[in-house]
Amino acid sequence: MGKGEALSEGVVRKIVLSYTYVAIWIFLSFTVIIYNKYILDRKMYNWPYPISLTMIHMAFCSSLAYLLVRVFKAVEPVTMSWDLYLRSVVPIGLLYSLSLWLSNSAYIYLSVSFIQMLKALMPVAVYSIGVMLKKEGFKSETMANMVSISVGVAIAAFGEAKFDSWGVMLQLGAVAFEATRLVMIQILLTSKGITLNPITSLYYVAPCCLAFLFVPWVLVEFPSLKENSSFHFDYVIFASNSFCAFALNLAVFLLVGKTSALTMNVAGVVKDWLLIAFSWSVIKDTVTPVNLFGYGLAFLGVAYYNHSKLQAMKAKEAQKKVQQTDEESGRLLEERGTENSSDSKRDVTED
């Protein structure tokens, strides 16, 4: 009885912790998105400088990651040669900087709710790029699923009350660069046996992002900021915003490390619906029935995609267990055969 109670307590504790990790990630992701929208939107804080905001985030994250890795020794740095760094980390840093720049820029032109609807295209982009780079096998069933998600997003875009073509292009570009970054991480790092947690990832990637963003910042935003010299830099606003962005990276590590990447995908769908509801009820963004119908269709496609991935993971794990069992059985038979052979030799010697 006591053992059963201890087991049930352990299961309940695990479930509670999992939901806690999900809640922390949703809260921080929600906060960063709304905070970025507040800073960049011309009708709110009115600081429409997405490159500068991204650079502030990267400078903050680089500094904090350096302190955690080099000063406080909270995380061990990954052993990496300069050649590997230049060939693997630098391209990923370039893609990440472009993704962040474009996604932050989209907040100036589009509503929070519509941006979340467009982000439903991420599985489509990841799968398509994976097929093109031969990291994924082409399957007609999966492609049909991707088409259904795309159709749903297209319907949502058709029903958008404040459609802005430039904002849509920026967000689609951000999705494309982010999807390419995720595939490249598999190709350039995972294939070499290198895994980066969010702290070491920021330690290596954030300085690259900062360097890559400097050039467009000088050409695009610096002249405007120089003219607008009367602007007062609010350290509390930007420091708290940057800290939230850094905390979100840690929350991703916590969620994926303690649960799974699939759990994060499912939690992301919940977060998107919460953001759409918040955008409609608090920010007063217009959400039309056509918007909701289209996103609902895309949502079903994403849910089916996640379900298919879960089934594939279960099948892979079951296959691994069967292989392990077969290997153990073969090893036992081999050991018994060796023992029998030794016994036979011993009998012959005794005779």
Side-chain angles (χ1 to χ4, degrees):
M1 182 72 178
K3 192 176 179 181
E5 282 179 4
L7 181 65
S8 62
E9 282 176 11
V11 171
V12 169
R13 186 171 176 273
K14 190 175 179 181
I15 292 170
V16 170
L17 282 173
S18 296
Y19 277 106
T20 303
Y21 300 140
V22 169
I24 290 169
W25 178 79
I26 288 177
F27 172 75
L28 287 169
S29 182
F30 188 99
T31 302
V32 169
I33 288 169
I34 297 299
Y35 213 158
N36 287 352
K37 173 67 176 176
Y38 167 74
I39 291 171
L40 295 165
D41 197 293
R42 297 179 192 278
K43 295 177 184 177
M44 297 181 189
Y45 189 72
N46 190 25
W47 200 70
Y49 301 107
I51 304 175
S52 301
L53 182 64
T54 309
M55 288 181 73
I56 291 168
H57 287 173
M58 290 300 102
F60 184 90
C61 290
S62 297
S63 303
L64 221 53
Y66 180 84
L67 288 172
L68 289 170
V69 173
R70 292 295 181 188
V71 179
F72 297 110
K73 311 289 185 183
V75 179
E76 285 292 324
V78 176
T79 304
M80 191 181 301
S81 65
W82 271 105
D83 181 57
L84 180 62
Y85 182 82
L86 292 172
R87 285 189 294 108
S88 301
V89 176
V90 171
I92 290 168
L94 173 61
L95 292 166
Y96 193 37
S97 63
L98 291 170
S99 171
L100 291 172
W101 171 15
L102 297 184
S103 62
N104 282 335
S105 299
Y107 286 112
I108 299 172
Y109 305 96
L110 302 175
S111 66
V112 171
S113 57
F114 188 43
I115 285 174
Q116 300 315 119
M117 294 176 190
L118 291 174
K119 283 181 180 178
L121 288 170
M122 185 60 75
V124 180
V126 170
Y127 178 73
S128 301
I129 292 166
V131 169
M132 283 191 291
L133 297 177
K134 297 181 179 179
K135 287 300 292 181
E136 293 271 0
F138 179 84
K139 294 178 183 176
S140 54
E141 184 184 353
T142 307
M143 185 51 72
N145 186 13
M146 298 298 106
V147 170
S148 72
I149 295 171
S150 302
V151 169
V153 173
I155 293 170
F158 179 76
E160 175 61 19
K162 296 178 181 177
F163 185 89
D164 187 291
S165 56
W166 178 241
V168 170
M169 286 174 63
L170 289 170
Q171 185 55 47
L172 292 180
V175 168
F177 282 123
E178 179 62 13
T180 308
R181 183 182 76 90
L182 294 173
V183 175
M184 293 303 281
I185 285 173
Q186 286 184 314
I187 296 172
L188 298 175
L189 293 178
T190 310
S191 61
K192 293 179 174 64
I194 296 172
T195 53
L196 299 176
N197 63 49
I199 296 175
T200 53
S201 177
L202 288 172
Y203 175 77
Y204 289 109
V205 176
C208 285
C209 292
L210 195 59
F212 281 122
L213 289 168
F214 182 76
V215 176
W217 178 75
V218 169
L219 297 174
V220 178
E221 290 187 1
F222 178 68
S224 178
L225 282 165
K226 195 175 179 182
E227 287 177 13
N228 192 20
S229 57
S230 59
F231 175 79
H232 174 65
F233 189 87
D234 194 325
Y235 288 96
V236 174
I237 290 285
F238 290 101
S240 57
N241 178 248
S242 299
F243 183 79
C244 287
F246 182 81
L248 178 59
N249 279 279
L250 299 187
V252 169
F253 174 61
L254 195 66
L255 182 60
V256 175
K258 300 296 182 181
T259 56
S260 68
L262 192 63
T263 302
M264 193 176 98
N265 288 340
V266 175
V269 172
V270 175
K271 178 205 71 180
D272 290 344
W273 280 110
L274 288 172
L275 278 164
I276 290 168
F278 182 86
S279 178
W280 171 72
S281 60
V282 179
I283 304 178
K284 302 301 179 184
D285 285 335
T286 304
V287 180
T288 67
V290 179
N291 269 147
L292 293 176
F293 174 76
Y295 182 66
L297 184 62
F299 161 73
L300 291 174
V302 172
Y304 180 75
Y305 176 69
N306 287 334
H307 174 72
S308 301
K309 282 180 71 176
L310 179 62
Q311 295 305 314
M313 283 168 59
K314 284 181 177 178
K316 198 172 180 180
E317 285 176 6
Q319 191 177 1
K320 265 187 185 178
K321 286 180 181 178
V322 170
Q323 286 177 347
Q324 285 175 355
T325 304
D326 290 344
E327 286 174 6
E328 286 173 6
S329 300
R331 201 181 300 114
L332 286 170
L333 286 170
E334 192 178 332
E335 286 173 1
R336 285 176 183 174
T338 305
E339 286 174 6
N340 291 335
S341 176
S342 299
D343 289 343
S344 299
K345 286 179 181 178
R346 195 180 299 115
D347 292 341
V348 170
T349 306
E350 287 173 359
D351 290 341

